[in-house]
Amino acid sequence: MKGKFFQIHKSFEIFKSNPRNIFLLDGIGALVSALSLLLIIAPFEVFFGMPGEVVHKLAILAFVFCTYSVVCYILNPIQWRFFLKIIIISNTMYCLISLCLLVYFYNSITLFGYSYFIMEKLVILFLVYFEIQMGRMEG
């Protein structure tokens, strides 16, 4: 357990030395989510159970978040904490919306659908936690 904590702490140090990298990490994560939704979840609606139209809207949100984060990474704003707060709130809202959709479509979501969406939320919420820690750091 101590080894895992050290690895997470070491990762935090990498981002602490250059906070703009958190935007790149967030952008890559949002891109992976969007592509997963479009290329895996949407084409196999019957397998996952989430309606394709809903999946496409979630993918659009993920692409918007990807664009926002990559633009923040490129522009490297001086007030990066303000822009980080926006993506923290956006990521959290995305998770809440997705969870509400799981409840709304509970009759059609399959075990594979629940597994995918819950795992995605866990990854995003871990990233949100990491982003909050970044926003709190000194400097």
Side-chain angles (χ1 to χ4, degrees), residues 6 9 11 18 23 28 43-46 54 65-66 71 88-89 94-95 103 105-106 112 116 123-124 139:
F6 181 72
H9 181 70
S11 298
N18 192 353
F23 292 106
I28 291 169
F44 301 103
E45 179 178 336
V46 174
V54 173
F65 296 165
C66 173
V71 167
I88 289 169
I89 292 167
Y94 177 84
C95 287
V103 171
F105 292 108
Y106 78 95
F112 297 107
Y116 170 82
V123 170
I124 293 170

Side-chain angles (χ1 to χ4, degrees), residues 2-4 8 10 14-15 18 24 40 43-44 51 55-56 79-80 89 95 100 109 125 130 134 136:
K2 185 178 179 183
K4 295 236 184 249
I8 292 170
K10 196 78 160 160
I14 292 168
F15 288 98
N18 192 353
L24 183 60
I40 299 170
F44 301 103
V55 173
H56 286 106
Q79 299 295 326
W80 62 271
I89 292 167
C95 287
C100 287
I109 306 292
L125 290 173
F130 193 69
M134 286 293 302
R136 290 181 177 166

Side-chain angles (χ1 to χ4, degrees), residues 28-45 47-51 54-56 58-60 62 94-95 98-99 101-102 109-125:
I28 291 169
L31 181 62
V32 168
S33 285
L35 292 176
S36 295
L37 289 166
L38 287 176
L39 301 176
I40 299 170
I41 306 302
F44 301 103
E45 179 178 336
F47 188 72
F48 292 100
M50 184 68 79
V54 173
V55 173
H56 286 106
L58 289 173
I60 289 169
Y94 177 84
C95 287
S98 296
L99 290 173
L101 290 169
L102 286 177
I109 306 292
T110 67
L111 179 60
F112 297 107
Y114 280 114
S115 298
Y116 170 82
F117 285 102
I118 290 171
M119 289 302 294
E120 182 191 44
K121 295 324 137 229
L122 290 173
V123 170
I124 293 170
L125 290 173

